[in-house]
Amino acid sequence: MPIDHEFGGQHTELKLSIVEGYLKAFTTALRPHFQHLWYVDAFAGTGSRTVRTERRGADLVEMPVEEAIERRRGSAQIALDVQPTFDFLVFIEKNTNYISALNDLVAKNLQRRIVIAEEDANAALKRLISNNSWRDKRAVVFLDPYGMEVEWSTLQALASTQAIDVWFLFPLAGLFRQATRKLTDIDDHKRAALTRMFGSNSWEAELYPDGDPDMFGMLPERRRDLDPKGLERYVQARLSELFGAVLNPLALPIDRSPQMFSLFLCISNRTPEAIGLAKRIGNHLLDPKRHLIVRSSAQ
Ligand SMILES: C[S@@+](CC[C@H](N)C(=O)[O-])C[C@H]1O[C@@H](n2cnc3c(N)ncnc32)[C@H](O)[C@@H]1O
């Protein structure tokens, strides 16, 4: 009995097609130069995703739609299918039920080198990075969490390899919720989550600057003035402190405001050749105009 993993929406399809496009271009460009090309899926899921379409009756404009349940490829399966192939794939997943689905995926691909790690993505990634030499390898890591699970220290470790390109679906709506308008509304739980995500408490002064005192010398209440786009720029600036380059992200969902996620490509390699290549491929894939045109011509 296959395990159902339902998540995301329209934007999930787009996110996965962008990452797939990058993986294909990555192995095509680097295969002649590197013997070791790795793919690491740090929030791997099951390898597939269940898409449910609700039954809908006809109305004056639309035809009726029958209920349908469809199984599509998730990121782990997509990475396995990429040609030229990755030499080594690592699937990290915390949920035991999903691990059994990933084991089935391995059983169907016994000729491939695949490792499954049942543990927290942050711990597994840090160990993988410190236990390997990165000079002779290039890798893509996909960070596709539900929420704010990715720690700053994990991003630091990834950036330090200078060999890994990181696709990061950043939970902008989660940040918006934790970083409440008024600083005084941030409880200990939210404060800890923000500090884990940004690596120190510098976010407090950066997102909630002191205002000027009024005529009686009273300081105004500290508030976050940044809107979602401003927060996205803040996140990009912070990621740029760690990585060789961070491309302008794609806001997802593409047709809804405010955005829920920002899809980032962060390049740890600092050489102009590596950054140039990743930018050529990544900027094309992340260009919002391209996706809006595809959507409207498909309608
Ligand atoms: C959005 S889903 C990933 C979907 C997957 N990329 C795909 O395309 O099929 C997020 C996954 O992360 C897993 N997860 C959540 N927290 C985790 C953690 N701290 N470490 C590892 N996996 C985690 C969840 O069980 C879930 O399967």
Side-chain angles (χ1 to χ4, degrees):
M1 182 74 174
I3 289 165
D4 282 333
H5 186 199
E6 284 187 60
F7 61 93
Q10 280 283 347
H11 68 273
T12 304
E13 212 58 47
L14 180 55
K15 167 190 77 180
L16 290 174
S17 78
I18 290 173
V19 172
E20 179 175 23
Y22 192 78
L23 297 182
K24 286 178 178 166
F26 180 91
T27 56
T28 303
L30 297 186
R31 170 56 64 220
H33 310 288
F34 288 91
Q35 216 188 331
H36 303 287
L37 297 180
W38 290 15
Y39 171 78
V40 182
D41 206 325
F43 296 84
T46 60
S48 74
R49 66 189 192 95
T50 307
V51 180
R52 206 178 289 269
T53 312
E54 304 270 317
R55 185 184 173 284
R56 205 182 53 224
D59 60 25
L60 288 177
V61 191
E62 308 255 13
M63 298 288 283
V65 176
E66 286 307 316
E67 188 191 45
I69 295 175
E70 218 186 307
R71 215 165 256 284
R72 298 196 190 155
R73 293 180 310 154
S75 52
Q77 180 68 61
I78 287 171
L80 272 167
D81 292 343
V82 163
Q83 295 285 343
T85 55
F86 283 95
D87 311 292
F88 183 51
L89 298 100
V90 180
F91 299 148
I92 304 166
E93 173 56 57
K94 214 169 72 167
N95 179 313
T96 308
N97 290 330
Y98 296 172
I99 287 286
S100 73
L102 290 171
N103 281 327
D104 291 346
L105 201 59
V106 173
K108 287 189 199 130
N109 292 277
L110 289 175
Q111 75 291 6
R112 305 290 298 272
R113 283 179 64 218
I114 308 171
V115 162
I116 294 177
E118 182 177 356
E119 65 176 301
D120 169 61
N122 294 287
L125 280 173
K126 284 181 214 167
R127 222 182 38 258
L128 182 80
I129 290 163
S130 64
N131 288 352
N132 285 283
S133 145
W134 292 93
R135 232 172 297 147
D136 59 343
K137 299 182 185 67
R138 288 292 178 269
V140 180
V141 168
F142 185 25
L143 302 175
D144 187 20
Y146 288 139
M148 294 176 37
E149 288 89 350
V150 177
E151 296 167 8
W152 188 254
S153 52
T154 305
L155 297 169
Q156 275 174 320
L158 289 164
S160 73
T161 62
Q162 308 220 3
I164 299 179
D165 294 347
V166 180
W167 280 93
F168 184 10
L169 186 75
F170 186 90
L172 204 76
L175 172 59
F176 207 69
R177 264 198 311 276
Q178 304 291 322
T180 50
R181 275 281 177 208
K182 294 191 211 164
L183 182 61
T184 46
D185 286 342
I186 300 187
D187 60 24
D188 288 350
H189 180 75
K190 290 187 164 89
R191 189 174 293 280
L194 287 163
T195 298
R196 217 173 27 249
M197 189 161 77
F198 289 126
S200 74
N201 61 3
S202 69
W203 58 267
E204 202 166 315
E206 291 156 357
L207 297 179
Y208 300 87
D210 279 327
D212 294 325
D214 65 14
M215 59 193 293
F216 305 108
M218 295 285 286
L219 285 170
E221 188 174 39
R222 286 171 68 183
R223 296 173 69 90
R224 165 176 63 71
D225 289 327
L226 294 180
D227 62 4
K229 272 290 158 207
L231 281 180
E232 183 181 70
R233 280 194 296 276
Y234 174 73
V235 173
Q236 186 171 4
R238 292 298 316 277
L239 292 172
S240 303
E241 293 169 13
L242 296 179
F243 289 91
V246 178
L247 273 48
N248 288 336
L250 181 69
L252 291 174
I254 197 149
D255 52 359
R256 185 143 43 94
S257 182
Q259 68 198 76
M260 287 165 68
F261 302 99
S262 300
L263 183 59
F264 280 101
L265 174 57
C266 309
I267 301 143
S268 67
N269 197 312
R270 290 176 181 266
T271 64
E273 299 77 35
I275 291 177
L277 177 70
K279 277 190 169 173
R280 264 197 310 285
I281 309 166
N283 279 336
H284 172 69
L285 291 165
L286 288 169
D287 182 357
K289 290 197 289 297
R290 190 173 157 257
H291 302 297
L292 288 168
I293 291 162
V294 171
R295 275 183 65 80
S296 57
S297 63
Q299 280 163 0

